[in-house]
Amino acid sequence: MLRKKTCVAMLLAGGQGSRLGILTQNVAKPAVPYGGKYRIIDFPLSNCTNSGIDTVGVLTQYQPLELNAYIGSGAPWDLDISNGGVFVLPPYQKVKSSEWYRGTANAIYQNMAFIEQYNPDYVLILSGDHIYKMDYNAMLNFHIRHGADATIAVRPVPWEEASRFGIMNTDSEDRITEFEEKPKNPKSNKASMGVYIFTWEKLRHYLIEDENDKKSSNDFGKNIIPNMLNDKQILCAYNFNGYWKDVGTIESLWEANMDLLQNPMPIDMHDKKWRIFARNPGMAPHYIAKGATVADSLITEGCEVYGNVNHSILFAGVIVEEGASVESAVVMPGSVIRRGAIVRRCIIAENAVIGPGAIVGEEEGKIAVIGHGVTLPAGVSVPAGEQVDENYTF
Amino acid sequence: MKDVMGIIYTGEGDAQLRELTLYRAIAALPVASRYRIIDFLVSSMVNGGIKNVGVIMQKNYHSLMDHLGSGKEWDLHGKIDGLHILPPFLTRENVGLYPGVLDALRSNTNYLVRSKQETIILSNSKIIYNAKMDELVRFFRDTGADMTLLYTTDEGIKRDEAGTYLSLDESHNVTDLEVDPTHPSYNNIYMQVMVIRRELLRELVDKAVAHGLHSMDRDVIQRLVRDGTAKVNAYEYKGMCWNIDSVQSYFKFNMDILDTAKRKGIFREDMPVYTKVRDEMPAYYGDDCSVVNSLVADGCQIEGSIENSVLFRGVKIAPSAHVKNCIIMQDGLVQEGAYIENCILDKQAIIKRNARLIGPQAYPIVIAKDVII
């Protein structure tokens, strides 16, 4: 028997993130690189560690190889401990059936035995899709103080955009009275962040009930939350006002990266009390050569800059050769921008090579994307909004 | 390499490193934006497949212990072997300070006896190198040597009236060795790294200390070579190396690695150098910064201009500050309008607004830890 835990976190990391196009061709969305040295999953994992939650199940399904390797023993997040730690939980074969995770609720349902091992009072449900820093412990205290059965983290969104989100209508004491998925005429602007705390006993009950309902789509937002509301359970909204960014699309991933270049930074990444931990590639410090120019950019270890970098983010080991120009671009680990190439308003995935004199992206318009490991021939041009993978023909 | 262990001796004299070694051993000196000297040595051993590394501490070893921790960053935190920190302790023979590596090893006889590996690589901690230890050990075994010394012909690590120089025959056997000569007769410089059978080392240490001898090179190796009682040969290290024994040589190493070829010589892709990670965000470069020929670590915020400089983690260069030929350690701050040239700023040093500090190139100014100017 493992020692009891007050709260166990379950991180839903199985989604494909298909709107990220070729960036998630071979990796799950939570493993997508972000911010020069992170991957999206570093944010919820670091939040857990910083919040004192040391037991995390990561539910994987789509292209888990890179994600599994990245999480490893959990050491970068101090989650390599003997009583608790991080556990990768893929779907598995059972005596009577074997099935994929059918929905968010079903994924948790299939891993009830994992949760039960720790006999927790509360379960925190997270997703690996967002960039934010949040104290889950403060949210847990809120949940306990309100005697809630479920607490849903919400954040204010501009009223004109509210109809794109799952909106929580609340009374004056933050109790949720109604939940509307993408309402035409929103009554509130409190959008669900996909971060839930449940009192485990209640959640277990609703997971089993939901599983027995053959018509259910086994989803937290569509089924579990509405069912609990119908049964007059106590559901509370926890207001979060910090930086939160969904990086579900190419444009929003690019924007979220560019947010780090704002002054002041909308998300404080220098806070020593709330570090975002990441697996370290162990490369030499980066080098800026004579004749190079850098401005308004983030650059990390292993980079070598001989050309011009402006308003951009370079990940580990990126090389910008002489006369190359990088402008408003996100260049992921190991990529090389050859002599005289121009890359702008684009995302260049890992280990790509931009041939000499090639041009990627345009000053205006949509973000261009160069896929993982693609070698762009010399002198070619990739227009705005194009996605270039290995099979692309020029 | 399962049968090889490593021992690093960190008790070298540090008189010429001034304030830099006030609070730390040479092995713990911060170098190259984010490393400590010992990182190169431990990483070399680990990359060579060694799983048992002992670090003999001497004085001021807190910062070294703090840095090495459980050995996790070097994968030396397993159940079998791993990192062994060997601090000095009082014994009948040792009252605190080791006169040399022999006495240090004598004090740690238990560690030598208890370890399972039959072969030992014994390294100093002031020469920075990144060697293929497995090839060194293969040479030691293939030649059936009792002791193999690692040497270089790189003149950069040569010192006046210091160092040990080797004469070799065609099959690389050591035929003579000179310790601290004024005019060395040989070009082969011993790097203070050796491979030796564990049992033999224990025996030699025991005998030497029992006879009141303190110098490994003069009293042990030289005698073995002269008396012909053991087969002592040497293996050439062809990579880059630096001897960090003074402020000048410390400064030179950091400036040397600004050169891409030299940097790649020590930071090799197939032999990564591991260090303690601080989880800082990538370095930020402001709109009006100017950066020329510099190495910069994560967590830095550069808004002023830097030239030929090495910046450690978390350093801030304010707008209109100018930094030239400087080494600025962790969390240093150079405020608006300040100008510094040929300076070494130890950790958390602050150069106030409009201050000017220009050291001579041959004798850089050292600003001690936490000092505000």
Side-chain angles (χ1 to χ4, degrees):
Chain A
M1 180 75 191
L2 294 161
R3 264 186 289 155
K4 180 180 170 63
K5 292 280 176 189
T6 306
C7 183
V8 167
M10 299 295 275
L11 204 163
L12 299 158
Q16 179 183 357
S18 52
R19 289 175 303 154
L20 282 171
I22 57 172
L23 289 176
T24 50
Q25 221 163 43
N26 303 307
V27 295
K29 180 170 159 189
V32 167
Y34 167 80
K37 66 185 295 191
Y38 309 97
R39 293 181 188 249
I40 298 170
I41 198 171
D42 286 327
F43 287 79
L45 284 179
S46 301
N47 285 340
C48 281
T49 301
N50 287 319
S51 303
I53 292 168
D54 61 11
T55 308
V56 186
V58 179
L59 300 114
T60 60
Q61 178 154 292
Y62 173 79
Q63 290 283 9
L65 181 65
E66 208 165 311
L67 191 57
N68 289 354
Y70 187 69
I71 294 170
S73 68
W77 308 271
D78 271 355
L79 291 173
D80 56 336
I81 53 173
S82 13
N83 180 37
V86 62
F87 299 85
V88 175
L89 304 168
Y92 57 96
Q93 196 176 13
K94 296 155 201 85
V95 178
K96 286 191 183 144
S97 64
S98 9
E99 51 185 356
W100 296 105
Y101 294 147
R102 276 177 279 120
T104 50
N106 174 260
I108 305 295
Y109 173 84
Q110 290 199 39
N111 286 288
M112 285 198 340
F114 167 78
I115 299 171
E116 298 273 79
Q117 290 180 102
Y118 295 97
N119 186 26
D121 298 324
Y122 309 100
V123 170
L124 168 68
I125 308 288
L126 301 168
S127 65
D129 303 343
H130 308 120
I131 304 298
Y132 65 114
K133 283 165 61 175
M134 181 175 180
D135 186 351
Y136 303 137
N137 191 48
M139 180 174 167
L140 179 60
N141 287 337
F142 172 93
H143 177 85
I144 296 169
R145 212 167 49 238
H146 283 72
D149 299 311
T151 298
I152 299 164
V154 295
R155 63 184 189 101
V157 293
W159 278 94
E160 60 274 20
E161 287 175 30
S163 53
R164 284 174 38 216
F165 295 94
I167 293 294
M168 303 289 162
N169 301 327
T170 57
D171 66 14
S172 56
E173 264 138 35
D174 292 323
R175 184 154 169 190
I176 299 169
T177 52
E178 195 184 1
F179 168 64
E180 294 181 288
E181 184 67 40
K182 299 187 178 142
K184 281 212 177 72
N185 301 303
K187 297 187 202 99
S188 140
N189 67 338
K190 291 178 176 175
S192 167
M193 294 162 58
V195 174
Y196 311 104
I197 290 179
F198 291 95
T199 299
W200 171 232
E201 229 174 286
K202 295 281 177 180
L203 178 61
R204 185 174 48 198
H205 170 82
Y206 279 94
L207 285 176
I208 295 169
E209 192 184 271
D210 178 64
E211 191 62 22
N212 292 332
D213 176 4
K214 296 294 163 224
K215 282 179 281 178
S216 171
S217 46
N218 307 114
D219 186 85
F220 276 102
K222 288 191 194 114
N223 308 104
I224 302 285
I225 302 292
N227 289 347
M228 288 182 83
L229 273 173
N230 285 340
D231 292 355
K232 302 277 182 284
Q233 299 289 337
I234 304 173
L235 275 73
C236 292
Y238 176 75
N239 294 296
F240 175 79
N241 290 312
Y243 179 87
W244 184 91
K245 189 100 182 177
D246 181 6
V247 284
T249 62
I250 298 282
E251 308 286 322
S252 65
L253 177 64
W254 179 83
E255 270 169 30
N257 275 286
M258 292 301 140
D259 282 349
L260 294 176
L261 298 175
Q262 280 177 33
N263 195 5
M265 224 183 294
I267 179 169
D268 180 10
M269 299 293 289
H270 288 296
D271 184 0
K272 291 188 176 160
K273 295 195 185 84
W274 205 277
R275 285 193 198 273
I276 302 302
F277 306 105
R279 191 169 283 282
N280 196 277
M283 299 174 98
H286 67 267
Y287 176 69
I288 313 286
K290 193 175 175 181
T293 62
V294 287
D296 195 20
S297 294
L298 286 174
I299 303 180
T300 191
E301 57 197 58
C303 291
E304 310 252 329
V305 179
Y306 300 90
N308 309 316
V309 179
N310 184 23
H311 194 57
S312 292
I313 294 186
L314 306 189
F315 286 70
V318 166
I319 294 169
V320 179
E321 292 189 351
E322 226 174 292
S325 165
V326 179
E327 176 97 29
S328 301
V330 176
V331 188
M332 292 182 179
S335 287
V336 182
I337 317 295
R338 294 258 182 252
R339 246 160 235 279
I342 298 172
V343 300
R344 56 198 171 194
R345 285 179 65 82
C346 61
I347 297 176
I348 295 177
E350 287 162 83
N351 300 317
V353 178
I354 308 302
I359 297 174
V360 180
E362 291 171 42
E363 269 166 48
E364 304 269 312
K366 294 180 95 177
I367 303 303
V369 184
I370 306 298
H372 193 289
V374 169
T375 298
L376 217 59
V380 297
S381 258
V382 177
E386 281 293 294
Q387 295 195 17
V388 178
D389 63 7
E390 281 156 347
N391 306 318
Y392 190 89
T393 43
F394 289 96
Chain B
M1 292 295 279
K2 197 170 163 259
D3 200 29
V4 185
M5 62 187 279
I7 296 183
I8 298 168
Y9 173 65
T10 69
E12 288 99 344
D14 53 15
Q16 290 189 70
L17 281 151
R18 294 188 261 161
E19 287 93 332
L20 293 176
T21 46
L22 217 50
Y23 305 100
R24 53 172 89 88
I26 296 182
L29 262 181
V31 290
S33 286
R34 65 191 288 247
Y35 301 91
R36 309 265 184 160
I37 291 181
I38 196 157
D39 293 339
F40 293 88
L41 319 178
V42 179
S43 300
S44 258
M45 289 181 173
V46 169
N47 287 331
I50 294 175
K51 305 238 188 299
N52 178 6
V53 177
V55 180
I56 300 178
M57 309 259 167
Q58 180 67 81
K59 39 185 186 167
N60 302 333
Y61 55 83
H62 167 259
S63 96
L64 197 52
M65 280 185 67
D66 187 46
H67 180 70
L68 293 171
S70 64
K72 208 169 173 172
E73 319 281 0
W74 298 269
D75 285 342
L76 289 174
H77 62 309
K79 278 188 186 165
I80 304 172
D81 294 322
L83 178 73
H84 295 268
I85 288 179
L86 307 167
F89 54 90
L90 287 180
T91 60
R92 241 178 315 164
E93 296 84 16
N94 178 38
V95 288
L97 270 184
Y98 299 129
V101 63
L102 288 172
D103 305 83
L105 288 167
R106 175 70 180 81
S107 263
N108 289 290
T109 301
N110 272 339
Y111 171 61
L112 285 182
V113 171
R114 259 193 355 255
S115 292
K116 295 181 290 284
Q117 292 78 7
E118 288 311 317
T119 308
I120 290 184
I121 294 179
L122 177 64
S123 175
N124 78 98
S125 66
K126 61 170 191 173
I127 297 181
I128 296 178
Y129 59 83
N130 193 355
K132 282 208 185 296
M133 294 300 197
D134 41 345
E135 287 177 6
L136 169 64
V137 171
R138 198 174 309 134
F139 177 84
F140 168 78
R141 287 193 178 143
D142 291 352
T143 54
D146 294 307
M147 180 191 276
T148 296
L149 308 178
L150 191 67
Y151 76 95
T152 176
T153 52
D154 183 341
E155 300 233 323
I157 73 163
K158 211 163 162 178
R159 294 290 180 268
D160 288 346
E161 295 175 33
T164 296
Y165 301 83
L166 311 175
S167 161
L168 306 174
D169 66 15
E170 308 89 68
S171 27
H172 273 82
N173 290 309
V174 178
T175 54
D176 184 27
L177 103 176
E178 292 180 340
V179 181
D180 301 344
T182 314
H183 302 291
S185 322
Y186 318 116
N187 297 325
N188 307 316
I189 310 161
Y190 171 42
M191 287 171 61
Q192 303 291 335
V193 179
M194 69 159 76
V195 195
I196 185 170
R197 278 186 298 111
R198 178 171 57 104
E199 211 31 54
L200 178 63
L201 179 66
R202 204 186 59 77
E203 223 177 277
L204 292 171
V205 164
D206 196 52
K207 278 219 188 86
V209 175
H211 286 90
L213 303 171
H214 300 294
S215 162
M216 174 68 95
D217 293 8
R218 190 177 283 126
D219 300 330
V220 177
I221 309 176
Q222 200 166 50
R223 280 176 196 221
L224 287 179
V225 169
R226 199 174 50 214
D227 302 347
T229 44
K231 180 177 164 75
V232 181
N233 62 13
Y235 181 78
E236 185 176 2
Y237 170 69
K238 294 195 173 101
M240 314 274 323
C241 57
W242 288 267
N243 182 355
I244 311 296
D245 60 348
S246 64
V247 169
Q248 286 82 348
S249 55
Y250 171 80
F251 191 70
K252 182 172 187 299
F253 167 65
N254 284 285
M255 291 298 140
D256 272 359
I257 56 161
L258 288 175
D259 181 272
T260 300
K262 287 182 179 158
R263 192 170 58 253
K264 297 222 157 122
I266 191 85
F267 292 107
R268 298 177 42 165
E269 229 167 89
D270 53 338
M271 299 158 79
V273 182
Y274 305 100
T275 187
K276 188 172 162 186
V277 171
R278 219 171 77 140
D279 289 287
E280 296 270 5
M281 81 170 303
Y284 174 72
Y285 291 91
D287 278 332
D288 301 315
C289 72
S290 135
V291 186
V292 177
N293 190 37
S294 294
L295 280 172
V296 179
D298 282 356
C300 286
Q301 295 174 51
I302 316 290
E303 309 211 52
S305 69
I306 55 174
E307 191 180 343
N308 309 332
S309 292
V310 176
L311 269 49
F312 286 68
R313 292 178 281 206
V315 167
K316 286 184 193 161
I317 308 296
S320 77
H322 196 105
V323 173
K324 190 178 172 188
N325 305 342
C326 287
I327 298 167
I328 306 182
M329 291 187 206
Q330 204 162 296
D331 298 324
L333 167 65
V334 182
Q335 294 187 344
E336 284 86 352
Y339 180 93
I340 55 171
E341 187 176 335
N342 298 324
C343 293
I344 299 171
L345 271 57
D346 207 324
K347 286 162 93 171
Q348 290 114 29
I350 297 174
I351 304 295
K352 292 283 235 184
R353 223 171 258 274
N354 300 325
R356 275 177 76 82
L357 208 58
I358 303 175
Q361 206 166 9
Y363 201 77
I365 298 176
V366 178
I367 310 292
K369 196 172 163 182
D370 296 317
V371 167
I372 300 172
I373 290 189

